[in-house]
Amino acid sequence: MPWLEVLHGGLSTTVQDAGRPGYLAQGLAPAGAVDGFMLACANMLVGNPPEAAALEITLDGPVLRVVGDTVMALAAVEADWYAGETGWPLPTWEAVLARDGAVVSVGAVRRGVRAYLAVAGGIDVPPVLGSRSTHVRAGVGGLDGRPLAGATGSGGPHRGDVARWAGRSVPERLRPHRRSGPIRVMAGPQADAFSRRGLRDFFFGRFRVSARADRMGVRLEGPPIRARGGYDIVSEATAPGSVQVTGDGQPLVLLAERPTTGGYPKIATVITADLDVMGQLRPGQWVRFLEVGEAEARRALAERQRRLEAVRAHLEARPPGRPWVVVTAAGVYRVE
Amino acid sequence: MLVQELDLAGGPVRIRPAGDAAVLVELGDGVDPAVHRRVMALWRTLVERPLPGMIEAVPAYRSVLVTWDPRVTDGARIRAALERRLREAVDGRGPRRRGRQVTIPVIYGGSYGPDLEAVAERVGLSPDEVVRRHAAGRYVVYMLGFLPGFVYLGGLDPALAVPRRASPRLEVPAGSVAIGGSQTGIYGLGGAPGGWHVIGRTWVTLWDAGRRRPATLRPGDRVRFVAASPEQAPPGWQEAAGEPRATMPAA
């Protein structure tokens, strides 16, 4: 069975799948890929189910040695990856055949924040509470509950049908996040706790993504948003995408590893279809919000599903492209 | 603002929007045992008979968050089903169910409760009196949350209320029993930061991700503390509790 040897873990690389729902009432957020669309694309490229476990790479990626032949693919808004430590650049959005002993390194994620590296068969760490997702703060899942580090053991992929998938690729037009626009939100549970001016500042304001952004949440900087009765509410459970406004009047958008309860008022909730994009905003980037109703949120989710289906249909209908990219211990070549 | 209000026998219920995959059902105002009993009534019926398409129900002091899979159902259907369920289960006529009674041994003070002296000074009682009053309390688990296995307990003697620490501790050991404001609670997961005053520690494992149900306590459980000495603790528990838990069961 092929497996991966971690030579260098990267900035923060974790094993993630679709997450671990069902434990919120015990204080455990589901974790899972922050950008589920990209996770699904990376998996489908190598013939995995869309929700299989893959590596979520943050800003700067790992160096891995492949033991046994496998097929790998990197999905990213824009990222570099190479054969060897700094060798030949490899194509993203394409299933690459990696031969026994090949070293691949993911360099900088240049646009977006997170890239997804999938291997045929998925990452075979033991599931914890029904999922392989890493919840770093809880020390649960993935490789010992932690991000990959240099010289950590291995997450071994199962044997996949290597030859069948090598060379398949997702064309530019089917890749996500090419369009920039406001993040769509619905009014939050405590929208009525904000002054008219506070609501206006949030829905018409422009916010900068701060450096305090991780899998737990994304802190934003902008005009202070005024709450009428202060910023303390009786603690209650948080929904994914909740936009809390903390005591300094600044919004915090909660993501996959969110605190499951909180005592700050929530002005809005990011719609399910836009959580992928929310999790790809880079520190320093500007963001606006657009209020929509549930009907629009449902249309957006159906549209996301259609786009995923289009990727799947493309990958299943077309024979592998030529040439294939093959990475070996000695370097990289193409099969004509 | 889309907040829907229902009149129920026990008092009004507000259903607040929380996106395209969740709603928040608010069953009263403030932190109040009667409101929490309504929360428990709704939560238990949702756990026993989940609504179609529902993923989870999460109880808190005065509310229950209900989440669903938006590919399977929608807000209108969930709200309609919730309204029926609320009228059935939370109208105040059903049998009042009590949670389990759980007794938790606590080693108060010393290195186990580094803030006991400071709390005593702050509230103007002796450390022994703080311990006596804390252990005499009859508590109810209001909710688990923010961190895995953190237990929020209602029922603290008002004389022991003390504002949170000015600077949070960076790492609180698992099992730490603490006071924050008018509440008391237990840190289930070790190694997490915490702003509450730690007055003692229990050796009972309250969080273990290697179990099918990681959290030992459940919302609605009734908790009593008994003062214990370190000699009563099972050998080796401190080493185990000090580490952040990264349990992975053998496949």
Side-chain angles (χ1 to χ4, degrees):
Chain A
M1 181 190 283
W3 52 284
L4 299 176
E5 189 182 343
V6 181
L7 303 181
H8 175 70
L11 184 64
S12 179
T13 306
T14 53
V15 177
Q16 299 295 342
D17 57 17
R20 185 182 288 108
Y23 298 91
L24 282 180
Q26 297 179 55
L28 185 67
V34 166
D35 186 340
F37 191 96
M38 205 96 80
L39 171 79
C41 289
N43 273 321
M44 291 191 293
L45 270 162
V46 297
N48 292 347
E51 301 188 337
L55 296 179
E56 181 179 276
I57 290 157
T58 315
L59 292 171
D60 186 50
V63 180
L64 307 164
R65 181 184 286 128
V66 178
V67 181
D69 293 354
T70 191
V71 172
M72 322 172 85
L74 185 74
V77 183
E78 190 185 330
D80 301 333
W81 72 317
Y82 312 97
E85 300 263 350
T86 51
W88 286 83
L90 296 171
T92 53
W93 297 96
E94 186 170 326
V96 166
L97 181 60
R99 293 279 186 209
D100 181 29
V103 171
V104 297
S105 4
V106 180
V109 177
R110 299 196 177 276
R111 284 174 59 218
V113 174
R114 295 174 172 93
Y116 292 85
L117 181 70
V119 288
I123 306 283
D124 188 26
V125 293
V128 180
L129 301 171
S131 160
R132 294 182 168 86
S133 284
T134 317
H135 187 306
V136 176
R137 278 153 59 94
V140 164
L143 271 177
D144 298 323
R146 286 189 287 267
L148 306 195
T152 10
S154 62
H158 295 290
R159 187 186 301 281
D161 186 352
V162 165
R164 182 164 167 231
W165 291 94
R168 283 174 202 258
S169 63
V170 175
E172 184 87 31
R173 68 186 163 82
L174 294 178
R175 300 176 193 174
H177 311 330
R178 292 180 305 157
R179 176 179 56 87
S180 67
I183 299 283
R184 288 166 290 185
V185 294
M186 288 171 61
Q190 286 83 34
D192 57 356
F194 293 88
S195 66
R196 196 179 286 264
R197 179 159 166 211
L199 292 170
R200 201 183 58 208
D201 284 342
F202 178 75
F203 288 107
F204 296 95
R206 208 164 70 113
F207 296 87
R208 217 166 67 114
V209 178
S210 91
R212 288 156 69 196
D214 58 18
R215 290 179 41 81
M216 194 193 89
V218 177
R219 194 159 252 298
L220 304 174
E221 293 163 348
I225 298 160
R226 285 170 210 203
R228 286 185 305 195
Y231 297 90
D232 275 322
I233 61 163
V234 177
S235 283
E236 63 188 25
T238 54
S242 290
V243 185
Q244 289 185 335
V245 179
T246 52
D248 52 6
Q250 301 293 289
L252 170 65
V253 185
L254 301 181
L255 299 179
E257 242 183 74
R258 67 190 187 273
T260 59
T261 59
Y264 294 113
K266 293 172 281 293
I267 194 167
T269 313
V270 176
I271 67 171
T272 306
D274 280 3
L275 285 172
D276 304 320
V277 190
M278 188 70 223
Q280 291 285 9
L281 295 176
R282 284 176 84 96
Q285 203 173 334
W286 292 90
V287 61
R288 286 175 181 281
F289 295 96
L290 175 69
E291 186 178 354
V292 299
E294 193 187 343
E296 172 68 21
R298 292 184 64 75
R299 271 196 296 276
L301 191 61
E303 169 62 21
R304 178 186 186 273
Q305 197 56 36
R306 270 197 296 278
R307 285 166 44 221
L308 267 183
E309 285 304 325
V311 171
R312 186 206 301 274
H314 176 88
L315 289 171
E316 284 178 356
R318 287 168 185 67
R322 295 272 177 154
W324 299 357
V325 174
V326 182
V327 193
T328 66
V332 62
Y333 64 90
R334 286 168 182 266
V335 178
E336 298 296 339
Chain B
M1 194 65 73
L2 300 169
V3 180
Q4 180 189 351
E5 192 155 318
L6 303 176
D7 268 317
L8 263 74
V13 170
R14 283 181 291 269
I15 301 186
R16 295 180 175 274
D20 59 336
V23 285
L24 195 80
V25 185
E26 207 171 81
L27 294 121
D29 295 309
V31 179
D32 172 355
V35 172
H36 191 254
R37 281 196 290 275
R38 282 156 61 90
V39 167
M40 284 297 104
L42 176 60
W43 181 61
R44 287 185 178 125
T45 172
L46 291 174
V47 168
E48 282 160 16
R49 285 189 297 136
L51 308 178
M54 184 184 115
I55 298 176
E56 338 189 22
V58 196
Y61 292 107
R62 60 161 172 166
S63 62
V64 178
L65 182 81
V66 178
T67 71
W68 65 84
D69 182 343
R71 293 166 300 184
V72 174
T73 187
D74 59 35
R77 275 184 260 182
I78 289 280
R79 280 168 189 257
L82 261 176
E83 188 175 337
R84 282 195 297 277
R85 196 61 76 79
L86 279 161
R87 294 198 189 282
E88 254 169 63
V90 196
D91 65 354
R93 284 174 302 184
R96 182 190 286 186
R97 283 180 35 192
R98 311 193 72 181
R100 302 174 303 170
Q101 175 73 60
V102 182
T103 301
I104 293 189
V106 179
I107 306 168
Y108 286 99
S111 60
Y112 304 102
D115 296 325
L116 177 63
E117 303 268 340
V119 169
E121 196 168 315
R122 190 74 184 259
V123 302
L125 296 170
S126 71
D128 283 351
E129 183 61 11
V130 170
V131 170
R132 198 192 63 76
R133 288 184 184 229
H134 191 265
R138 297 290 174 264
Y139 302 100
V140 174
V141 177
Y142 272 151
M143 62 177 189
L144 278 76
F146 108 98
L147 282 172
F150 187 94
V151 181
Y152 289 86
L153 296 167
L156 182 70
D157 184 333
L160 301 184
V162 50
R164 294 178 188 192
R165 288 170 55 89
S167 57
R169 288 181 188 280
L170 292 180
E171 282 193 20
V172 178
S176 291
V177 175
I179 294 178
S182 58
Q183 300 170 76
T184 187
I186 318 173
Y187 289 81
L189 178 78
W196 291 24
H197 299 268
V198 177
I199 61 167
R201 199 188 307 169
T202 179
W203 59 76
V204 174
T205 301
L206 293 169
W207 175 265
D208 181 354
R211 298 189 300 212
R212 271 169 71 103
R213 192 178 193 293
T216 304
L217 294 174
R218 298 172 198 198
D221 282 351
R222 291 168 300 141
V223 171
R224 301 166 78 148
F225 293 119
V226 288
S229 68
E231 293 74 44
Q232 293 169 273
W237 69 278
Q238 251 183 297
E239 291 70 33
E243 300 270 321
R245 285 180 192 279
T247 319
M248 297 216 303

